[in-house]
Amino acid sequence: MVVGGIDNGERSKSRTDPPHAAPTMLLLAVDFFNALEKINKKYNLKFTLRAGVNVGPVVAGVLGLKRFTYDVWGDSVNTASRMESNGLPGHVHLSSQMYEMVKHLSDVFEFSCRGNIQIKGKGEMITYLARPRIRERAAE
């Protein structure tokens, strides 16, 4: 689980996410796919990866008295999890809200609409698949 764009609450009154969080999260998937490809080649393996991404508000906090852990909750997190579990290997499964925020990245990703997909706990949702067009991206 990766969460990006959580702020300290100062921006939460005017915007849900910092401006570059959504594209950055999707570009992170390129790094994940590339890393897995290198591991597969090095060790002659055939592991695959699928990812799910959503955007929206979350509740975050620290749990525990002796052994602390940080966690996030909320409908946005649940939807991202459902995107992953309903995704396809080698693709990033996007909610329609996430797609609207990253569709300008068509030079980096090939996007395709999956249409209405039945998502557990959500009902029917229009979702999108994103597949990296590039194998490596330059370090920023």
Side-chain angles (χ1 to χ4, degrees):
M1 173 79 64
V2 176
V3 178
I6 294 180
D7 63 30
N8 63 5
E10 291 176 16
R11 284 188 254 163
S12 62
K13 294 176 186 125
S14 61
R15 83 166 305 158
T16 328
D17 295 300
H20 302 294
T24 300
M25 291 284 76
L26 191 54
L27 291 170
L28 179 62
V30 173
D31 294 336
F32 287 165
F33 287 114
N34 289 337
L36 183 61
E37 187 176 318
K38 288 177 184 177
I39 291 168
N40 280 342
K41 284 182 181 177
K42 182 175 181 178
Y43 297 104
N44 196 27
L45 300 171
K46 295 182 181 179
F47 288 119
T48 59
L49 175 69
R50 65 181 186 216
V53 186
N54 186 39
V55 62
V58 298
V59 175
V62 178
L63 304 170
L65 297 173
K66 294 181 182 181
R67 185 175 174 182
F68 300 109
T69 184
Y70 182 80
D71 203 357
V72 292
W73 305 269
D75 187 57
S76 300
V77 175
N78 295 338
T79 301
S81 176
R82 298 295 186 213
M83 292 296 100
E84 181 276 326
S85 63
N86 286 278
L88 300 175
H91 294 79
V92 183
H93 197 189
L94 309 174
S95 65
S96 58
Q97 295 88 348
M98 181 66 177
Y99 171 73
E100 289 301 319
M101 296 182 80
V102 298
K103 64 185 177 183
H104 67 278
L105 295 174
S106 59
D107 58 327
V108 180
F109 286 89
E110 176 185 334
F111 295 105
S112 59
C113 181
R114 289 190 81 184
N116 283 321
I117 303 290
Q118 188 67 33
I119 303 295
K120 182 180 176 184
K122 303 293 293 177
E124 282 193 357
M125 293 179 67
I126 296 174
T127 65
Y128 296 82
L129 291 175
R131 186 177 181 98
R133 290 187 188 274
I134 58 173
R135 299 312 319 156
E136 294 288 337
R137 68 181 182 108
E140 297 176 18

